[in-house]
Amino acid sequence: MAIELGSNFPQRWQRSPVDFRQNVFDELQDVCRSLGGQMFERVVASPAVNPQRPITPMSTSVFPVSSVEQELKKSFLQNADDLIEQHLDTVRQDLRKWLHGEMNRLLADSLKKPE
């Protein structure tokens, strides 16, 4: 089961407030920690892109935008999306296992006969 993030997820993610993105990273790490997952160093969100004002490159006469630079940016965004999806899948699987175990424990407790 995969979550459909939409084709414009990279743009929405980049334009979301840095506090929101940091909360997402912190919550994912809290879930991993509570499930006994491997802990890595804290992920820090980068500053948000201003949605009203697109980022414009410096004067094109000084630094022309090359197709290589555009491809690198595109590749970076795709890799970032893949990394997010990869970690979401891991968290989703761990959470599913934990919920299944808790459900079984609660069912077993409710079926016990009172002494």
Side-chain angles (χ1 to χ4, degrees):
M1 177 175 147
I3 296 175
E4 178 58 43
L5 298 174
S7 61
N8 63 347
F9 174 75
Q11 293 82 17
R12 291 192 335 260
W13 179 256
Q14 293 272 331
R15 291 185 174 124
S16 64
V18 70
D19 292 338
F20 168 77
R21 289 184 288 139
Q22 187 62 56
N23 284 340
V24 169
F25 290 140
D26 290 342
E27 287 182 29
L28 286 173
Q29 285 187 314
D30 286 344
V31 169
C32 289
R33 188 179 306 111
S34 69
L35 294 172
Q38 204 176 24
M39 292 312 303
F40 302 99
E41 62 185 57
R42 183 174 188 242
V43 177
V44 178
S46 59
V49 174
N50 187 348
Q52 283 75 27
R53 228 179 43 181
I55 295 178
T56 56
M58 295 180 78
S59 172
T60 55
S61 61
V62 177
F63 297 108
V65 177
S66 69
S67 61
V68 172
E69 183 180 359
Q70 291 173 346
E71 285 300 314
L72 284 172
K73 286 180 181 179
K74 183 179 176 181
S75 175
F76 174 78
L77 287 175
Q78 183 61 48
N79 288 335
D81 289 344
D82 292 344
L83 182 64
I84 290 168
E85 275 298 313
Q86 176 186 358
H87 288 287
L88 284 176
D89 286 340
T90 302
V91 170
R92 189 180 302 114
Q93 289 170 1
D94 290 344
L95 184 57
R96 188 177 293 126
K97 288 176 190 175
W98 179 78
L99 286 172
H100 185 67
E102 285 298 303
M103 180 185 66
N104 285 338
R105 186 185 60 79
L106 289 171
L107 284 172
D109 287 349
S110 69
L111 295 175
K112 287 183 181 175
K113 294 182 181 180
E115 294 179 18

